[in-house]
Amino acid sequence: MKYNTIDFNHKTILITGGAGFIGSNLAFYFQENFPEAVIVIFDRFRSEETFSNGNLKSFGHYKNLIGFHGDIVCGDLNSPHDLQQLKEKYRFDYIFHEAAISDTRVYDQKIVMQTNVNSFYTILEMALETEAVLVYASSAATYGSQPSPQTVGREGPENPYGFSKYAMDQIAYRYMKEHPNMTIVGLRYFNVYGAREFFKDKTASTVIQFGHQILSGKTPRLFEGSDKIVRDFVYIKDVIQANIKACAPKKSGVYNVGTSKPRSFQDIADILQKELGTHYGTDYFPNPFTGYQMHTQADIRTSEEFLGYVPEWELEAGIHDYLGEIKRMYEEEVLHG
Ligand SMILES: NC(=O)c1ccc[n+]([C@@H]2O[C@H](COP(=O)([O-])OP(=O)(O)OC[C@H]3O[C@@H](n4cnc5c(N)ncnc54)[C@H](O)[C@@H]3O)[C@@H](O)[C@H]2O)c1
């Protein structure tokens, strides 16, 4: 599937965070559609180290890359030496910057800011020096509990992660202004689901988490009132579309990537049960979080206008497309992992 006329063959493409969910999908997209592209992955990969919330410090996993034939550089965003190595060895035409602490519940401000923001200056400088197109991952977390539809320009981050992405956007805006010839696009992903997210563990989408609960014969467990808690769930294939279209924007900028059609957590559980032919009902339990976001909906008007991004996957279709992979991961990783 080619989303525009750009020929990425013979181009050198850097994907930071390429062992993670979105980065690995991008890597395979290029490998499958542009076999002559030189694809370079930069990722810290996972170690056993955890944050104080018990979650792993990085979710990158080699299994996301089985079948990938490009270059892999294991390196850390926090190491100027590792980033320097990249600069010395390659001259990039396109940079997709996905690496980050992606866990919204890491509250150590210092490590989140260091990892997500400090390295961004180096990535921007790399793009500037090599005249590379830079597409980087921002996040809907920049909006905090701003009312729907969440619109670029009306941010209110409420955790260190959301703030780090907000800070990246502000730095990117400055670069866009100071270097009008650069192409820089920040993509604010909403709730992404799809293949290769399993290794995000507890931070993977509820689609795979509920899917695996149901496959194990359990009743899906949802917060009370889950039919009223809605999110803009976006399928990985739409996220790939957005990244490709972001390489030829009408204007550099920061853009939302969602469907603009919010759906409830209950919908996810119900669609999965329908797909899997089960009738377990739902187990409800009280929502332990205060200040929990009840409604997100991406305002995608500027993404349509300046990127040509048009979401193609409704929740039903996305889950249907994803189901085989949910089952495969259950078999291979949950039962026999
Ligand atoms: N998945 C979503 O729903 C979503 C939503 C909004 C924004 N995002 C953003 O999109 C990007 C990709 O997210 P994802 O879902 O693929 O997450 P992910 O955690 O699967 O991928 C991030 C990758 O970055 C790597 N990484 C982490 N710290 C690193 C470091 N210090 N040096 C080098 N590599 C490091 C990890 O090993 C991992 O492979 C992230 O920037 C994330 O914040 C994701």
Side-chain angles (χ1 to χ4, degrees):
M1 178 83 184
K2 295 192 178 157
Y3 296 107
N4 55 25
T5 54
I6 299 178
D7 183 2
F8 292 96
N9 281 315
H10 308 290
K11 301 292 182 195
T12 305
I13 300 169
L14 171 64
I15 303 172
T16 73
F21 168 34
I22 297 171
S24 60
N25 278 285
L26 271 170
F28 280 103
Y29 172 82
F30 287 117
Q31 179 167 294
E32 281 154 23
N33 290 282
F34 301 96
E36 303 300 325
V38 178
I39 310 164
V40 182
I41 280 175
F42 178 85
D43 200 295
R44 178 187 197 269
F45 286 79
R46 70 179 53 201
S47 61
E48 303 291 306
E49 284 173 69
T50 54
F51 288 117
S52 55
N53 67 1
N55 290 352
L56 286 171
K57 282 201 172 167
S58 51
F59 296 114
H61 201 297
Y62 76 89
K63 286 192 182 174
N64 284 334
L65 289 174
I66 290 176
F68 173 69
H69 313 307
D71 285 5
I72 299 177
V73 177
C74 181
D76 198 314
L77 287 176
N78 290 313
S79 158
H81 169 265
D82 292 353
L83 290 169
Q84 187 60 30
Q85 246 192 330
L86 279 180
K87 274 170 62 172
E88 281 164 15
K89 199 155 171 224
Y90 301 97
R91 193 177 169 83
F92 298 110
D93 299 296
Y94 294 90
I95 299 176
F96 297 88
H97 179 45
E98 304 298 322
I101 292 178
S102 63
D103 185 343
T104 56
R105 298 222 163 88
V106 175
Y107 298 117
D108 181 334
Q109 302 188 16
K110 185 179 171 203
I111 188 71
V112 173
M113 291 301 288
Q114 264 176 355
T115 308
N116 293 2
V117 182
N118 286 7
S119 56
F120 192 47
Y121 291 100
T122 314
I123 300 283
L124 280 158
E125 283 301 314
M126 205 188 296
L128 179 64
E129 280 164 29
T130 61
E131 294 175 16
V133 169
L134 172 62
V135 182
Y136 71 91
S138 179
S139 171
T142 52
Y143 295 116
S145 46
Q146 290 292 311
S148 289
Q150 285 75 28
T151 306
V152 176
R154 292 208 315 247
E155 294 77 14
E158 289 177 4
N159 54 38
Y161 168 79
F163 181 75
S164 73
K165 295 288 183 179
Y166 172 78
M168 287 170 71
D169 293 340
Q170 304 317 305
I171 298 161
Y173 279 132
R174 182 163 64 71
Y175 266 76
M176 290 173 209
K177 208 165 147 199
E178 288 173 4
H179 307 282
N181 291 338
M182 283 181 88
T183 300
I184 307 175
V185 174
L187 296 176
R188 288 191 179 155
Y189 307 139
F190 277 62
N191 286 62
V192 191
Y193 64 98
R196 303 193 180 89
E197 67 168 313
F198 175 79
F199 295 107
K200 290 181 71 175
D201 302 342
K202 281 182 279 181
T203 73
S205 80
T206 43
V207 175
I208 192 158
Q209 299 200 33
F210 293 163
H212 284 181
Q213 282 172 21
I214 297 165
L215 285 168
S216 68
K218 291 190 197 127
T219 304
R221 296 195 75 230
L222 275 69
F223 293 155
E224 282 162 0
S226 276
D227 57 331
K228 307 258 171 357
I229 310 177
V230 300
R231 293 275 184 282
D232 194 325
F233 296 103
V234 55
Y235 192 42
I236 186 68
K237 291 185 179 172
D238 279 335
V239 169
I240 300 297
Q241 180 209 147
N243 273 274
I244 301 307
K245 290 188 170 167
C247 294
K250 285 196 187 139
K251 201 167 92 173
S252 287
V254 176
Y255 299 99
N256 284 338
V257 179
T259 60
S260 209
K261 291 184 184 156
R263 301 291 298 270
S264 71
F265 287 100
Q266 186 74 55
D267 285 338
I268 291 183
D270 292 349
I271 296 167
L272 281 162
Q273 296 227 53
K274 200 168 162 206
E275 285 281 345
L276 293 166
T278 58
H279 301 89
Y280 298 144
T282 312
D283 258 354
Y284 296 106
F285 67 103
N287 183 345
F289 301 111
T290 45
Y292 196 70
Q293 244 178 345
M294 295 299 284
H295 196 291
T296 67
Q297 176 180 13
D299 179 343
I300 54 170
R301 284 172 301 177
T302 55
S303 325
E304 283 167 352
E305 185 179 349
F306 296 108
L307 303 183
Y309 164 74
V310 182
E312 292 174 353
W313 294 86
E314 298 260 342
L315 188 61
E316 281 79 0
I319 291 179
H320 181 75
D321 192 61
Y322 183 19
L323 203 67
E325 188 61 17
I326 294 176
K327 287 183 186 163
R328 187 177 74 82
M329 294 315 276
Y330 184 72
E331 282 290 316
E332 291 181 11
E333 297 298 331
V334 181
L335 290 182
H336 306 114

